[in-house]
PDB file of all heavy atoms in Angstrom:
ATOM      1  N   SER A 257     -36.162  30.212  42.587  1.00 54.00           N
ATOM      2  CA  SER A 257     -37.454  29.938  41.969  1.00 54.00           C
ATOM      3  C   SER A 257     -38.359  31.109  42.125  1.00 54.00           C
ATOM      4  O   SER A 257     -38.156  31.818  43.185  1.00 54.00           O
ATOM      5  CB  SER A 257     -38.001  28.639  42.408  1.00 54.00           C
ATOM      6  OG  SER A 257     -38.291  28.731  43.819  1.00 54.00           O
ATOM      7  N   GLY A 258     -39.315  31.288  41.355  1.00 57.00           N
ATOM      8  CA  GLY A 258     -40.037  32.593  41.315  1.00 57.00           C
ATOM      9  C   GLY A 258     -40.960  32.859  42.500  1.00 57.00           C
ATOM     10  O   GLY A 258     -40.769  33.524  43.453  1.00 57.00           O
ATOM     11  N   LEU A 259     -42.251  32.345  42.411  1.00 59.00           N
ATOM     12  CA  LEU A 259     -43.245  32.765  43.307  1.00 59.00           C
ATOM     13  C   LEU A 259     -43.129  32.424  44.761  1.00 59.00           C
ATOM     14  O   LEU A 259     -43.911  32.924  45.477  1.00 59.00           O
ATOM     15  CB  LEU A 259     -44.717  32.209  42.709  1.00 59.00           C
ATOM     16  CG  LEU A 259     -45.223  33.122  41.594  1.00 59.00           C
ATOM     17  CD1 LEU A 259     -46.506  32.455  41.027  1.00 59.00           C
ATOM     18  CD2 LEU A 259     -45.612  34.532  42.053  1.00 59.00           C
ATOM     19  N   ASP A 260     -42.152  31.556  45.113  1.00 82.00           N
ATOM     20  CA  ASP A 260     -42.012  31.318  46.457  1.00 82.00           C
ATOM     21  C   ASP A 260     -41.047  32.247  47.088  1.00 82.00           C
ATOM     22  O   ASP A 260     -40.736  32.133  48.244  1.00 82.00           O
ATOM     23  CB  ASP A 260     -41.431  29.905  46.643  1.00 82.00           C
ATOM     24  CG  ASP A 260     -40.066  29.718  46.037  1.00 82.00           C
ATOM     25  OD1 ASP A 260     -39.648  30.540  45.170  1.00 82.00           O
ATOM     26  OD2 ASP A 260     -39.309  28.798  46.553  1.00 82.00           O
ATOM     27  N   LYS A 261     -40.704  33.386  46.468  1.00 93.00           N
ATOM     28  CA  LYS A 261     -39.838  34.392  46.913  1.00 93.00           C
ATOM     29  C   LYS A 261     -40.667  35.690  47.018  1.00 93.00           C
ATOM     30  O   LYS A 261     -41.475  36.131  46.181  1.00 93.00           O
ATOM     31  CB  LYS A 261     -38.648  34.641  46.008  1.00 93.00           C
ATOM     32  CG  LYS A 261     -37.666  33.504  45.956  1.00 93.00           C
ATOM     33  CD  LYS A 261     -36.974  33.348  47.243  1.00 93.00           C
ATOM     34  CE  LYS A 261     -35.930  32.214  47.027  1.00 93.00           C
ATOM     35  NZ  LYS A 261     -36.397  30.795  47.011  1.00 93.00           N
ATOM     36  N   VAL A 262     -40.500  36.426  48.184  1.00 98.00           N
ATOM     37  CA  VAL A 262     -41.124  37.764  48.392  1.00 98.00           C
ATOM     38  C   VAL A 262     -40.058  38.704  48.684  1.00 98.00           C
ATOM     39  O   VAL A 262     -39.157  38.616  49.505  1.00 98.00           O
ATOM     40  CB  VAL A 262     -42.015  37.717  49.597  1.00 98.00           C
ATOM     41  CG1 VAL A 262     -42.749  39.006  49.918  1.00 98.00           C
ATOM     42  CG2 VAL A 262     -43.174  36.600  49.423  1.00 98.00           C
ATOM     43  N   ALA A 263     -40.159  39.827  47.885  1.00 98.00           N
ATOM     44  CA  ALA A 263     -39.149  40.936  47.942  1.00 98.00           C
ATOM     45  C   ALA A 263     -39.829  42.102  48.435  1.00 98.00           C
ATOM     46  O   ALA A 263     -40.950  42.563  47.918  1.00 98.00           O
ATOM     47  CB  ALA A 263     -38.479  41.157  46.719  1.00 98.00           C
ATOM     48  N   VAL A 264     -39.181  42.961  49.256  1.00 98.00           N
ATOM     49  CA  VAL A 264     -39.549  44.330  49.728  1.00 98.00           C
ATOM     50  C   VAL A 264     -38.580  45.202  48.965  1.00 98.00           C
ATOM     51  O   VAL A 264     -37.437  45.071  49.222  1.00 98.00           O
ATOM     52  CB  VAL A 264     -39.717  44.457  51.162  1.00 98.00           C
ATOM     53  CG1 VAL A 264     -39.897  45.933  51.604  1.00 98.00           C
ATOM     54  CG2 VAL A 264     -40.875  43.664  51.739  1.00 98.00           C
ATOM     55  N   ILE A 265     -39.060  46.238  48.306  1.00 98.00           N
ATOM     56  CA  ILE A 265     -38.282  47.262  47.694  1.00 98.00           C
ATOM     57  C   ILE A 265     -38.663  48.663  48.198  1.00 98.00           C
ATOM     58  O   ILE A 265     -39.839  49.038  47.978  1.00 98.00           O
ATOM     59  CB  ILE A 265     -38.352  47.261  46.188  1.00 98.00           C
ATOM     60  CG1 ILE A 265     -38.099  45.900  45.684  1.00 98.00           C
ATOM     61  CG2 ILE A 265     -37.385  48.267  45.539  1.00 98.00           C
ATOM     62  CD1 ILE A 265     -38.372  45.731  44.121  1.00 98.00           C
ATOM     63  N   THR A 266     -37.755  49.319  48.863  1.00 98.00           N
ATOM     64  CA  THR A 266     -38.040  50.763  49.224  1.00 98.00           C
ATOM     65  C   THR A 266     -37.739  51.726  48.098  1.00 98.00           C
ATOM     66  O   THR A 266     -36.858  51.465  47.251  1.00 98.00           O
ATOM     67  CB  THR A 266     -37.262  51.170  50.490  1.00 98.00           C
ATOM     68  OG1 THR A 266     -35.799  51.148  50.098  1.00 98.00           O
ATOM     69  CG2 THR A 266     -37.410  50.138  51.541  1.00 98.00           C
ATOM     70  N   GLY A 267     -38.460  52.828  47.992  1.00 97.00           N
ATOM     71  CA  GLY A 267     -38.294  53.713  46.905  1.00 97.00           C
ATOM     72  C   GLY A 267     -38.716  53.134  45.582  1.00 97.00           C
ATOM     73  O   GLY A 267     -37.955  53.385  44.568  1.00 97.00           O
ATOM     74  N   ALA A 268     -39.753  52.343  45.621  1.00 98.00           N
ATOM     75  CA  ALA A 268     -40.102  51.649  44.353  1.00 98.00           C
ATOM     76  C   ALA A 268     -40.888  52.406  43.350  1.00 98.00           C
ATOM     77  O   ALA A 268     -41.249  51.776  42.406  1.00 98.00           O
ATOM     78  CB  ALA A 268     -40.894  50.281  44.936  1.00 98.00           C
ATOM     79  N   SER A 269     -41.288  53.645  43.678  1.00 96.00           N
ATOM     80  CA  SER A 269     -42.140  54.297  42.689  1.00 96.00           C
ATOM     81  C   SER A 269     -41.468  54.958  41.529  1.00 96.00           C
ATOM     82  O   SER A 269     -42.085  55.296  40.459  1.00 96.00           O
ATOM     83  CB  SER A 269     -42.895  55.464  43.405  1.00 96.00           C
ATOM     84  OG  SER A 269     -41.888  56.407  44.008  1.00 96.00           O
ATOM     85  N   SER A 270     -40.166  55.019  41.485  1.00 95.00           N
ATOM     86  CA  SER A 270     -39.515  55.602  40.350  1.00 95.00           C
ATOM     87  C   SER A 270     -37.971  55.107  40.314  1.00 95.00           C
ATOM     88  O   SER A 270     -37.518  54.503  41.217  1.00 95.00           O
ATOM     89  CB  SER A 270     -39.539  57.135  40.457  1.00 95.00           C
ATOM     90  OG  SER A 270     -38.816  57.556  41.526  1.00 95.00           O
ATOM     91  N   GLY A 271     -37.346  55.518  39.223  1.00 95.00           N
ATOM     92  CA  GLY A 271     -35.946  55.243  39.213  1.00 95.00           C
ATOM     93  C   GLY A 271     -35.404  53.863  39.279  1.00 95.00           C
ATOM     94  O   GLY A 271     -36.119  52.862  38.765  1.00 95.00           O
ATOM     95  N   ILE A 272     -34.394  53.619  39.985  1.00 97.00           N
ATOM     96  CA  ILE A 272     -33.829  52.245  40.162  1.00 97.00           C
ATOM     97  C   ILE A 272     -34.745  51.404  40.922  1.00 97.00           C
ATOM     98  O   ILE A 272     -34.935  50.203  40.494  1.00 97.00           O
ATOM     99  CB  ILE A 272     -32.476  52.372  41.045  1.00 97.00           C
ATOM    100  CG1 ILE A 272     -31.391  53.092  40.203  1.00 97.00           C
ATOM    101  CG2 ILE A 272     -32.028  51.000  41.468  1.00 97.00           C
ATOM    102  CD1 ILE A 272     -30.182  53.474  40.963  1.00 97.00           C
ATOM    103  N   GLY A 273     -35.534  51.830  41.958  1.00 98.00           N
ATOM    104  CA  GLY A 273     -36.482  51.005  42.643  1.00 98.00           C
ATOM    105  C   GLY A 273     -37.589  50.455  41.780  1.00 98.00           C
ATOM    106  O   GLY A 273     -37.938  49.219  41.820  1.00 98.00           O
ATOM    107  N   LYS A 274     -38.042  51.349  40.819  1.00 98.00           N
ATOM    108  CA  LYS A 274     -39.118  50.873  39.915  1.00 98.00           C
ATOM    109  C   LYS A 274     -38.584  49.857  38.939  1.00 98.00           C
ATOM    110  O   LYS A 274     -39.260  48.868  38.666  1.00 98.00           O
ATOM    111  CB  LYS A 274     -39.645  52.132  39.235  1.00 98.00           C
ATOM    112  CG  LYS A 274     -40.783  51.858  38.144  1.00 98.00           C
ATOM    113  CD  LYS A 274     -41.266  53.043  37.385  1.00 98.00           C
ATOM    114  CE  LYS A 274     -42.286  52.688  36.439  1.00 98.00           C
ATOM    115  NZ  LYS A 274     -42.658  54.041  35.646  1.00 98.00           N
ATOM    116  N   ALA A 275     -37.404  50.093  38.455  1.00 98.00           N
ATOM    117  CA  ALA A 275     -36.825  49.114  37.463  1.00 98.00           C
ATOM    118  C   ALA A 275     -36.529  47.750  38.213  1.00 98.00           C
ATOM    119  O   ALA A 275     -36.848  46.829  37.522  1.00 98.00           O
ATOM    120  CB  ALA A 275     -35.468  49.631  36.995  1.00 98.00           C
TER     121      ALA A 275
END
Side-chain angles (χ1 to χ4, degrees):
S257 60
L259 280 173
D260 64 339
K261 296 290 186 290
V262 177
V264 170
I265 304 173
T266 68
S269 61
S270 63
I272 292 170
K274 181 181 179 182

